[in-house]
Structures are given as structure tokens and as C-alpha cells.
Amino acid sequence: VQLVESGGGSVQSGGSLSLSCTYTGSHNCMAWFRQFPGKQREGVATIDSDGRTTYAGHVKGRFTISKDNAKKTLTLQMKRLKPDDTAMYSCAAGNFFTCLLVFDWYSYWGQGTQVTVSS
């Protein structure tokens, strides 16, 4: 299984970015996590095979997760970005019954893409 992220970069506060993750294989749960320097991974959003989504409270209403099964691409659209959103963002995949933002449930990870939001 391979997951490859793209789309990170630098943006000013209030701006938007879209992250993509191309993947191989089929997975019931796919998610985006982010990691701040020296801290544990933090869940951002997850989507299951039926398209049901779950968001962490700090991104709800600003971020949108979606998945294109035909193109095997997971996307995270981020709007109204804040400096606190600056982090390394990684996509993850796993197979379990309920898709929650518990990072050690996910078996497969991409290498990550950096998002930097300046004030």
C-alpha cells in the first residue's frame, strides 16, 4: 500500500489550500492527521467507504474531506486557514468498522506534506 500526499505550501492567514493523497488498495477508513513539531499526531478528518465524514472540532466548518474512488485520491480542502493550522499533514488508511480519528488504528501512512500559514 502506498499513500502519497501533495499540495502543501505556504499561505497567508485566511487563505485556502487543497491537499491531495493518491493511494493504492481499498480501505474502509481514510483520514488526514497533522503533527506539530515535538507533538503527537492530531486527527483532522476521516471519511469511510460510504462517504460519511467526521471532523475534529478545530477544523469543522473550515476543512472538507472527500474521496474519489475511481481516481484513488483523497482530498482535504482547507479554507480560512489560521497560523495554528501550520503543521505537517499526513493521509492515513485503515480497515476497521468505525472510522475514528485515532491515529494508532491506521495501518498505512503517507510521508506528509507541510502546510505553513503566516499571519
Side-chain angles (χ1 to χ4, degrees), residues 67-117:
K67 187 172 62 163
D68 185 326
N69 292 323
K71 294 182 179 179
K72 289 192 176 283
T73 300
L74 179 73
T75 299
L76 183 69
Q77 293 186 330
M78 305 183 292
K79 297 180 180 180
R80 302 197 307 275
L81 283 160
K82 308 173 184 179
D84 286 349
D85 294 317
T86 295
M88 180 70 74
Y89 286 72
S90 299
C91 62
N95 293 291
F96 34 90
F97 186 71
T98 303
C99 300
L100 298 178
L101 290 169
V102 180
F103 78 90
D104 55 4
W105 286 13
Y106 290 81
S107 303
Y108 308 106
W109 292 85
Q111 81 287 350
T113 186
Q114 178 68 36
V115 171
T116 302
V117 184

Side-chain angles (χ1 to χ4, degrees), residues 47-61:
I47 186 168
D48 69 13
S49 55
D50 292 325
R52 288 183 291 246
T53 58
T54 300
Y55 294 92
H58 49 271
V59 304
K60 208 167 187 178

Side-chain angles (χ1 to χ4, degrees), residues 29-47:
C29 301
M30 298 203 71
W32 288 97
F33 286 80
R34 65 187 185 184
Q35 190 165 21
F36 306 106
K39 295 195 176 180
Q40 202 172 54
R41 283 189 178 113
E42 173 183 282
V44 174
T46 184
I47 186 168

Side-chain angles (χ1 to χ4, degrees), residues 2-21:
Q2 286 189 319
L3 291 85
V4 180
E5 303 96 336
S6 61
S10 297
V11 65
Q12 288 197 324
S13 182
S16 302
L17 274 177
S18 183
L19 306 182
S20 295
C21 171

